[in-house]
């Protein structure tokens, strides 16, 4: 018998509707408030479930800026929860407040927070709409710091000052504090930190007037994130954070000192971006559990030698416009498990010393599988000679290049003096492959090297595999598909390194 149109969808909805209420609430947990309301038309069970889920999320954007409708809806929803004695474990608000004397919004905000605080609140997210009010102008209601049951607090674009914390801070159970573009001074921040000893996650991003972060009192801190995107009014911030409990540090800012001899015994991931302060103290620190190290454009590594005592390292990423001098302790993992990704962006003219320094870096990473990416913006000299007889080329898993191909022969000769790539690919081109002239130029260069085998391969999207092609086959394939073809050269060198 032929199934009526739409019957399959109807039966699927019915099967979901007979699930227990706590499972239905879990499904609704991942939907926005607007999407949750729409589920009320599915069936009688959905009609009641959407009104009882423990997480509420309201945004002024959903009301197209109509502040009165927004306030009325939040008021009526919270009153219904209060009348039915329901729990609100998570409460998220994106509000639009014109000024401190906003006669409607500020009193309503304070009333809502006080209500949900008495409903078992565990997670609170408060945001001021950035599109309409780009400046800090609104004080955070002090009632926020009276929510004793709160475990997670997220604040965006508020002022936190003496008026906010004029009473006793009761956030004894707080485990996560996230401050985004919050105007806060050092003494206020310190008072909050000292009142919340159980914090495990601390996230501070672009906070105006905050000049010092001292988190050494947080003995349970596991993840620390700091971001300074050089937005207006954000000062340099000095960081004091060497808690042994730390597992993850994500840092983006100019000044990040490492205490000499610090023991980061539980740290598994360290990410440093745009750090200008000298980082030579890293050589005295211990990272017995570090597995992932990311370094992005940090001038603090320039002209110094750094030794990273991280025997369990398995992933190292470096992005920069100079070649650093970095070495690692002998890794306890096998070389197949340790990967190094080196991305060099250079605006200077390549020199013999540049290649010597590159060879030194590659040697220090030779226990790992190395992916080397070179992006050159300035013109390349026609004749580049590597003048060092002691250089031995290092095996590199893959090599990606992005530069003016008019001087590629000279550059490739210099590169092959310091490294031996297994693969040369076009991954630098962000979804676009090499032009036909590029392939033919590289092919001609490789044919004149002392190689046992050279294979030209393309990536088959359908079969998700690399397929070998002759140069003539590749030409025909390129004519049909253009530059949207992932291509690589697989090399087998005669000499054993």
């Amino acid at each position: 018998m032929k199934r009526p149109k739409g019957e399959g969808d109807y039966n699927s909805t019915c099967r979901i509707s007979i699930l227990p209420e706590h499972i239905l609430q879990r499904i609704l947990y991942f939907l926005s408030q607007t999407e949750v309301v729409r589920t009320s038309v599915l069936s009688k069970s959905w009609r009641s479930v959407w009104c009882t889920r423990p997480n509420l999320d309201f945004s002024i954007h959903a009301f197209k800026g109509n502040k009165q409708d927004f306030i009325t809806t939040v008021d009526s929803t919270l009153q219904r929860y209060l009348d039915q004695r329901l729990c609100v474990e998570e409460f998220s608000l994106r509000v639009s407040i014109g000024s401190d004397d906003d006669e409607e919004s500020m009193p309503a905000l304070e009333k809502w927070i006080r209500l949900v605080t008495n409903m078992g609140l565990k997670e609170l997210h408060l945001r001021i709409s950035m599109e309409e009010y780009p400046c800090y102008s609104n004080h955070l209601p002090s009632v926020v710091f009276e929510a004793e049951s709160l475990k997670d607090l997220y604040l965006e674009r508020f002022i936190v000052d003496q008026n906010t914390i004029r009473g006793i801070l009761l956030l004894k159970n707080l485990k996560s504090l996230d401050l985004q573009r919050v105007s806060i001074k050092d003494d206020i921040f310190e008072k909050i930190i000292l009142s919340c000893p159980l914090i495990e996650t601390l996230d501070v991003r672009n906070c105006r007037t905050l000049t010092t972060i001292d988190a050494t009192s947080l003995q349970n801190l596991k993840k620390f994130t700091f971001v300074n995107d050089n937005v207006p009014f954000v000062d340099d911030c000095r960081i004091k954070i060497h808690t042994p409990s730390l597992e993850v540090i994500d840092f983006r800012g100019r000044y990040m000192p490492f205490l000499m001899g610090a023991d980061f015994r539980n740290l598994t991931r360290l990410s440093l971006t745009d750090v200008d302060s000298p980082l030579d103290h890293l050589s005295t620190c211990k990272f017995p559990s570090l597995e992932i190290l990311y370094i992005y454009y940090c001038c603090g590594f320039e002209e110094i030698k750094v030794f990273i005592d991280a025997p369990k390292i398995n992933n190292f990423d470096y992005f920069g416009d100079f070649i650093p001098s970095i070495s690692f302790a002998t890794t306890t993992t096998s070389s197949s498990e340790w990967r190094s990704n080196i991305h060099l962006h250079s605006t200077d003219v390549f020199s013999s010393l540049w290649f010597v320094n590159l060879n030194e870096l590659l040697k220090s990473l030779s226990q790992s599988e190395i992916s080397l990416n070179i992006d050159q913006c300035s013109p390349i000299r026609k004749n580049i000679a590597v003048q060092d007889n002691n250089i031995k080329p290092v095996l590199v898993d893959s090599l990606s290049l992005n530069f003016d191909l008019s001087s590629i022969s000279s550059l490739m000769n210099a590169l092959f003096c310091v490294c031996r790539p297994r693969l040369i690919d076009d991954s630098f081109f962000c979804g676009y492959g090499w032009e036909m002239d590029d392939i033919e130029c590289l092919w001609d260069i490789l044919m004149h090297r002392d190689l046992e085998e050279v294979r030209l391969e393309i990536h088959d999207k359908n079969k998700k595999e690399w397929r070998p092609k002759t140069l003539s086959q590749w030409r025909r394939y390129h004519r049909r598909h253009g530059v949207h073809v992932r291509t690589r050269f697989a090399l087998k060198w005669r000499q054993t390194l």
Side-chain angles (χ1 to χ4, degrees), residues 395-456:
L395 190 63
V396 170
D397 192 57
S398 65
L399 172 64
S400 298
L401 304 168
N402 182 26
F403 45 73
D404 181 11
L405 290 178
S406 63
S407 304
I408 191 172
S409 179
S410 177
L411 178 60
M412 293 301 288
N413 287 334
L415 272 175
F416 288 156
C417 287
V418 300
C419 70
R420 291 284 191 265
R422 289 195 182 102
L423 298 170
I424 302 178
D425 61 48
D426 61 2
S427 61
F428 233 128
F429 290 87
C430 302
Y432 291 88
W434 280 315
E435 296 283 357
M436 191 176 296
D437 290 344
D438 303 339
I439 290 291
E440 292 182 349
C441 184
L442 278 169
W443 181 271
D444 183 62
I445 291 170
L446 295 172
M447 288 298 100
H448 291 84
R449 302 298 304 183
D450 188 23
L451 291 163
E452 185 176 320
E453 183 183 0
V454 180
R455 290 196 316 275
L456 180 60

Side-chain angles (χ1 to χ4, degrees), residues 36-200:
V36 167
V37 173
R38 289 173 183 167
T39 64
S40 64
V41 302
L42 296 177
S43 69
K44 290 182 179 179
S45 56
W46 285 102
R47 202 173 303 154
S48 59
V49 169
W50 82 268
C51 297
T52 62
R53 68 170 186 160
N55 59 310
L56 296 176
D57 184 358
F58 296 99
S59 173
I60 186 66
H61 298 305
F63 295 81
K64 298 181 179 179
N66 191 320
K67 188 179 297 185
Q68 188 55 57
D69 283 354
F70 174 72
I71 293 175
T72 301
T73 300
V74 179
D75 271 338
S76 60
T77 302
L78 291 182
Q79 187 61 50
R80 185 177 67 249
Y81 271 68
L82 185 63
D83 293 341
Q84 298 180 38
R85 297 182 179 179
L86 299 174
C87 289
V88 178
E89 296 181 358
E90 299 179 19
F91 190 52
S92 180
L93 279 176
R94 182 180 289 274
V95 297
S96 172
I97 304 174
S99 63
D100 282 341
D101 59 356
D102 191 316
E103 295 182 355
E104 292 181 304
S105 300
M106 288 303 290
L109 179 60
E110 187 166 349
K111 181 182 70 173
W112 296 336
I113 296 172
R114 197 176 297 278
L115 278 174
V116 294
T117 297
N118 296 320
M119 295 181 184
L121 185 66
K122 295 180 181 178
E123 184 172 331
L124 178 62
H125 290 240
L126 297 177
R127 304 173 178 87
I128 291 181
S129 177
M130 182 175 64
E131 292 80 0
E132 295 183 44
Y133 304 103
C135 298
Y136 305 88
S137 59
N138 304 108
H139 288 80
L140 182 72
S142 60
V143 68
V144 170
F145 291 98
E146 298 173 12
E148 194 168 356
S149 61
L150 206 60
K151 291 186 177 180
D152 300 291
L153 177 59
Y154 175 100
L155 302 174
E156 184 176 341
R157 307 189 76 84
F158 280 94
I159 298 173
V160 179
D161 58 11
Q162 290 290 353
N163 292 326
T164 304
I165 61 169
R166 60 177 179 265
I168 300 175
L169 303 185
L170 299 177
L171 303 183
K172 303 296 183 183
N173 297 303
L174 196 69
K175 290 189 175 182
S176 176
L177 178 61
D178 196 330
L179 305 178
Q180 310 272 339
R181 296 180 182 269
V182 171
S183 177
I184 185 170
K185 292 187 177 180
D186 294 355
D187 58 333
I188 306 298
F189 180 82
E190 183 181 9
K191 186 174 181 179
I192 294 173
I193 291 298
L194 292 175
S195 301
C196 307
L198 299 183
I199 288 179
E200 296 179 358

